[in-house]
Amino acid sequence: MQNEIIVNVDAGETRVALLERSVFAELHVEREQDKSVVGNVVKARVSRVLPGMQAAFVDIGLEKAAFLYVGDYFDNTGGEKTEEPRKRRGRNGRRIAPPKIETVLNEGQEIIVQIAKAPIGTKGARITSNISIPGRHLVLTPWSRRTGVSRRIDSDKERRRLREIVNRLKPKELGFIIRTAGDGVREADLEADIKYLSAVWKKIQVASVEKKTPAVLHEEPDLPIRLVRDLAGHNTSRIVIDDDAAAERLRSFCEEFVAEPRPVIEHYEKPTPLFDALGLEAQIHANLERKVWLKSGGSLIVDQCEALTAIDVNTGRFVGKRDLEETVFKTNLEAIKEVVHQLRFRNIGGLIIIDLIDMDRSEHREKAYRALQDALRSDKARTNILKISELGLVEMTRKRTRESLVQALCEPCMHCEGRGYMLSGESVAYNILREIKNDMQRIGGQKIAITVSPRVAEQLLSTEKAPLDALGEELGREIEIRARAGLHEEQFEVESLEPGPAADFAPAWLRDPAEIAAEEKAERERRNEGKSSGNGRRRNRGRGRGRDQASTDKAEEAETADNDANQIDEPASDTPQTHAGEPETPTPAAKSEEVADPQGGSGESAAGPADRSIVLEAAPEGGATDSETLDKEVGTPVT
């Protein structure tokens, strides 16, 4: 299969595209601040042993500790080398259970490990002590003396030839695996690889003695050289790169490690960006979409979540020619090829569920299953597929060693926070009306303004005009709707425009804590008495404790005053009272407000609950409120 490697080097970012028969098959991205650590050999220290998980957390010098399962560890600090680091099965073929983690590792112990899987999301790196260092044609396995051959080399004669050459040339204490790229290479090329990898291993052993834990003993080369080493071969027609210095490094690497015939390295120097000139930039954005169109008119829906990736196949605009079963079968065959392409391009790993269109005939399901197996042969990642179920579902796994393309290039939406949906304008409008009705007792003004996003404002002034007017009449206040561009659609602000009666509450920070505790205890006792007497109705509706303690003693005599007090809910930090004439209008993202000290002292910060703040401004004794502002996120009760 002819392929091309396209390398784009920018300041801080390198992208490598693999084209197979002119089809954009894979994209690899590496940024300076997020350089890949997979393959690095590290001298590490065990930070915690977990017998309950049969694993350990290991400090490898990264932000998060790495995870080491007991089955991935064996003692490589000394002693005689074994034929295999750990035998997986006994003579009868049964799997041998690994030893207990507490018997082989201790906290503070220094070990040499290799990073097998990069940190992904909230998970730390996965490490192993089974070190393997790849070369151009061989892979060094220093803890084993065996010589293995890749399964992708089919010819038995070639396998015997390669094994005989490597056994004759390699050091006795080291083991090697012959890669697929070694198929048909000369003895001189294998000898050069053995010398190079042996020298790398000696440097690692010297560094492990000299360096302090944690330390990197061996680091993988940068992305272009790494991919040319792993992907370039006799079927690579050319390598195109747009950076002069990187092109020189690639030429030197190919002359030293790549066998004849070597690929042609072209230095791209035109002003048009390389990926734009070859039409790759548009394909990157198209393949990041949730919906992928098929040539026939069908489509795929790709949904990635934490636990698995679900891919749904639809016929879309494809109506077929003969009958429904034939249409479904052809759509599934086309979809299978595109599914494999998307798995490779997006680097999707983990558990994958493919929802094919239901096929009634068992022979069609069998053909589709074989087509999926054949398509996955070009994928270098390890996969495991189960038979297509009667519901048309395919369950499969694909090895995940690095972040997917979506994780590398994208981030959660700032509006929906990664949910993929938002409240409708109608739902937000009704939520605003409910919240205003519940919390209006905090606002003393006779005329108020509600600031919302343009979409919600349109909803309130058209479809929800009648409920809005009814709310104004019920509350006895004139309500004005204002639209503000850029305001989140699920947020709103309320501001009083005319003076009204002062909000009556006493800031807790001005009172004796013992007095507050006594009053809260009395309030709890009063509520318990109310429950036992069968009153049934909870006036406060769970929205917070009443703070108007001046009217507590007269609660039974003046129920109206008690109800008014129960409608006033203070933030957790007890927002202080401010002077009149100093209105403040917090933004939706405000976490706290600086308010003036009524006693003449310096201002203090009254922090409310996250993502909302409430500022109540009360006039001096006998006065009226100039401005009171309620700024909150719709759908979250004020506490």
Side-chain angles (χ1 to χ4, degrees):
M1 181 186 298
Q2 287 286 10
N3 63 49
E4 302 175 38
I5 298 176
I6 313 299
V7 183
N8 166 230
V9 180
D10 289 324
E13 181 184 65
T14 300
R15 298 184 297 175
V16 179
L18 174 65
L19 275 60
E20 293 179 350
R21 294 177 181 172
S22 301
V23 176
F24 196 176
E26 294 182 16
L27 175 67
H28 300 261
V29 181
E30 184 176 78
R31 288 170 180 155
E32 191 64 33
Q33 66 272 19
D34 299 322
K35 218 171 177 185
S36 175
V37 295
V38 176
N40 289 359
V41 179
V42 183
K43 183 179 181 181
R45 176 179 286 109
V46 178
S47 56
R48 190 179 178 189
V49 177
L50 305 173
M53 296 180 63
Q54 283 302 293
F57 285 114
V58 182
D59 180 14
I60 58 174
L62 299 181
E63 182 180 356
K64 296 178 181 178
F67 182 83
L68 175 62
Y69 175 61
V70 65
D72 294 326
Y73 176 77
F74 69 98
D75 187 7
N76 52 24
T77 56
E80 293 294 328
K81 287 203 167 73
T82 59
E83 189 65 19
E84 295 184 28
R86 174 177 286 116
K87 291 184 178 180
R88 299 293 183 181
R89 298 183 184 274
R91 294 181 179 178
N92 56 2
R94 294 183 180 179
R95 184 179 294 274
I96 300 176
K100 299 291 185 181
I101 188 71
E102 59 269 25
T103 64
V104 294
L105 285 177
N106 301 309
E107 292 186 8
Q109 181 178 341
E110 293 185 354
I111 57 177
I112 297 177
V113 294
Q114 185 174 35
I115 302 176
K117 185 185 294 185
I120 299 176
T122 59
K123 300 178 181 178
R126 182 79 180 257
I127 57 177
T128 176
S129 64
N130 297 319
I131 296 174
S132 60
I133 304 172
R136 180 65 189 90
H137 309 293
L138 304 173
V139 176
L140 170 66
T141 54
W143 307 120
S144 172
R145 297 175 179 175
R146 295 182 57 191
T147 300
V149 184
S150 170
R151 295 178 181 177
R152 292 177 182 263
I153 300 178
D154 299 326
S155 172
D156 291 337
K157 182 178 179 181
E158 179 65 13
R159 294 169 68 90
R160 286 194 299 271
R161 183 186 77 89
L162 294 172
R163 186 180 281 110
E164 188 275 327
I165 292 173
V166 173
N167 285 334
R168 178 162 38 87
L169 298 176
K170 76 177 184 69
K172 293 182 179 180
E173 68 275 9
L174 299 179
F176 291 89
I177 298 174
I178 303 168
R179 306 181 67 178
T180 307
D183 188 6
V185 300
R186 302 168 302 176
E187 180 176 332
D189 295 324
L190 296 175
E191 185 177 7
D193 245 19
I194 291 174
K195 289 181 179 179
Y196 166 72
L197 293 172
S198 300
V200 169
W201 179 241
K202 288 181 181 178
K203 290 180 181 178
I204 292 174
Q205 289 179 307
V206 172
S208 66
V209 176
E210 297 176 348
K211 293 186 177 182
K212 295 182 179 180
T213 308
V216 177
L217 307 180
H218 170 71
E219 191 173 3
E220 281 283 271
D222 57 8
L223 181 64
I225 292 180
R226 193 165 66 244
L227 290 182
V228 169
R229 178 195 69 192
D230 296 339
L231 302 177
H234 61 276
N235 55 357
T236 304
S237 59
R238 62 171 185 165
I239 300 173
V240 184
I241 187 168
D242 58 4
D243 184 77
D244 190 25
E248 283 300 320
R249 291 198 301 271
L250 281 181
R251 288 191 184 97
S252 301
F253 178 82
C254 289
E255 289 176 0
E256 186 173 358
F257 295 107
V258 178
E260 295 286 353
R262 297 188 180 94
V264 177
I265 299 179
E266 300 179 8
H267 181 209
Y268 181 82
E269 298 179 303
K270 296 180 181 179
T272 306
L274 177 58
F275 273 38
D276 286 326
L278 297 177
L280 304 181
E281 204 72 59
Q283 294 186 51
I284 293 174
H285 294 290
N287 282 322
L288 288 175
E289 296 291 336
R290 179 172 178 262
K291 190 171 189 177
V292 180
W293 289 100
L294 304 177
K295 292 182 179 179
S296 65
S299 64
L300 303 178
I301 304 296
V302 183
D303 286 317
Q304 291 183 251
C305 59
E306 183 70 21
L308 56 84
T309 299
I311 303 177
D312 184 30
V313 181
N314 300 310
T315 54
R317 297 189 296 260
F318 181 55
V319 296
K321 294 181 179 180
R322 297 183 181 179
D323 57 9
L324 175 61
E325 183 66 23
E326 192 68 22
T327 301
V328 168
F329 179 58
K330 287 184 177 180
T331 304
N332 282 337
L333 288 182
E334 183 185 12
I336 283 171
K337 293 181 181 179
E338 184 61 30
V339 164
V340 174
H341 173 258
Q342 292 296 324
L343 294 180
R344 293 184 62 192
F345 190 88
R346 303 184 187 217
N347 193 37
I348 297 174
L351 181 61
I352 302 164
I353 305 296
I354 307 171
D355 183 10
L356 298 174
I357 307 172
D358 291 345
M359 293 174 286
D360 294 334
R361 301 177 188 173
S362 59
E363 61 268 23
H364 282 178
R365 291 197 294 269
E366 184 63 29
K367 287 180 181 179
Y369 176 74
R370 289 200 300 268
L372 180 59
Q373 285 183 316
D374 294 338
L376 286 170
R377 294 186 191 279
S378 60
D379 190 2
K380 293 183 180 295
R382 187 185 308 156
T383 57
N384 182 30
I385 322 168
L386 299 183
K387 288 280 188 178
I388 301 177
S389 70
E390 294 182 358
L391 298 176
L393 297 179
V394 178
E395 299 176 48
M396 63 172 291
T397 59
R398 185 174 185 268
K399 187 177 181 180
R400 176 168 50 191
T401 57
R402 57 187 174 93
E403 288 186 323
S404 68
L405 197 63
V406 172
Q407 292 172 318
L409 300 184
C410 307
E411 62 182 13
C413 171
M414 61 180 294
H415 293 283
C416 70
E417 298 177 353
R419 294 175 296 178
Y421 54 85
M422 292 176 58
L423 287 175
S424 65
E426 186 177 9
S427 298
V428 174
Y430 279 115
N431 283 343
I432 289 176
L433 296 179
R434 280 191 292 268
E435 297 290 349
I436 292 298
K437 183 177 180 180
N438 293 338
D439 298 318
M440 189 51 69
Q441 297 299 327
R442 304 185 187 193
I443 302 297
Q446 294 300 317
K447 183 178 181 181
I448 62 174
I450 305 177
T451 304
V452 294
S453 67
R455 178 168 171 244
V456 178
E458 182 181 359
Q459 191 78 28
L460 286 169
L461 294 175
S462 57
T463 310
E464 317 309 331
K465 179 70 168 129
L468 181 66
D469 294 340
L471 177 63
E473 293 178 2
E474 181 182 350
L475 299 174
R477 291 173 171 84
E478 183 181 348
I479 301 177
E480 177 183 317
I481 301 299
R482 297 177 178 179
R484 179 193 296 170
L487 186 65
H488 194 287
E489 290 191 4
E490 296 183 4
Q491 290 181 329
F492 72 95
E493 298 175 7
V494 178
E495 180 182 0
S496 62
L497 302 179
E498 293 181 0
D504 185 15
F505 73 100
W509 58 278
L510 293 177
R511 304 170 57 198
D512 186 3
E515 180 185 355
I516 297 174
E519 290 175 352
E520 289 180 350
K521 181 179 179 181
E523 176 68 13
R524 287 194 298 269
E525 292 176 353
R526 184 185 68 80
R527 290 184 180 179
N528 292 335
E529 291 175 0
K531 290 180 181 179
S532 60
S533 62
N535 289 337
R537 187 165 64 93
R538 295 182 63 190
R539 298 186 181 94
N540 200 35
R541 295 176 298 173
R543 296 182 61 83
R545 294 193 177 99
R547 300 298 190 187
D548 189 359
Q549 300 300 333
S551 61
T552 302
D553 296 334
K554 300 179 180 180
E556 297 180 357
E557 300 176 2
E559 184 177 356
T560 304
D562 182 54
N563 287 337
D564 291 340
N566 283 328
Q567 293 297 328
I568 298 177
D569 301 325
E570 288 187 14
S573 59
D574 298 313
T575 308
Q577 187 174 1
T578 65
H579 291 297
E582 298 176 1
E584 294 186 25
T585 305
T587 62
K591 301 295 183 184
S592 62
E593 295 289 341
E594 293 290 327
V595 294
D597 185 347
Q599 304 299 324
S602 59
E604 288 196 23
S605 174
D611 294 330
R612 58 182 182 270
S613 61
I614 300 172
V615 178
L616 298 179
E617 300 192 358
E621 184 176 358
T625 333
D626 276 348
S627 173
E628 298 136 9
T629 303
L630 170 67
D631 176 16
K632 63 179 291 182
E633 183 174 347
V634 173
T636 308
V638 179
T639 57

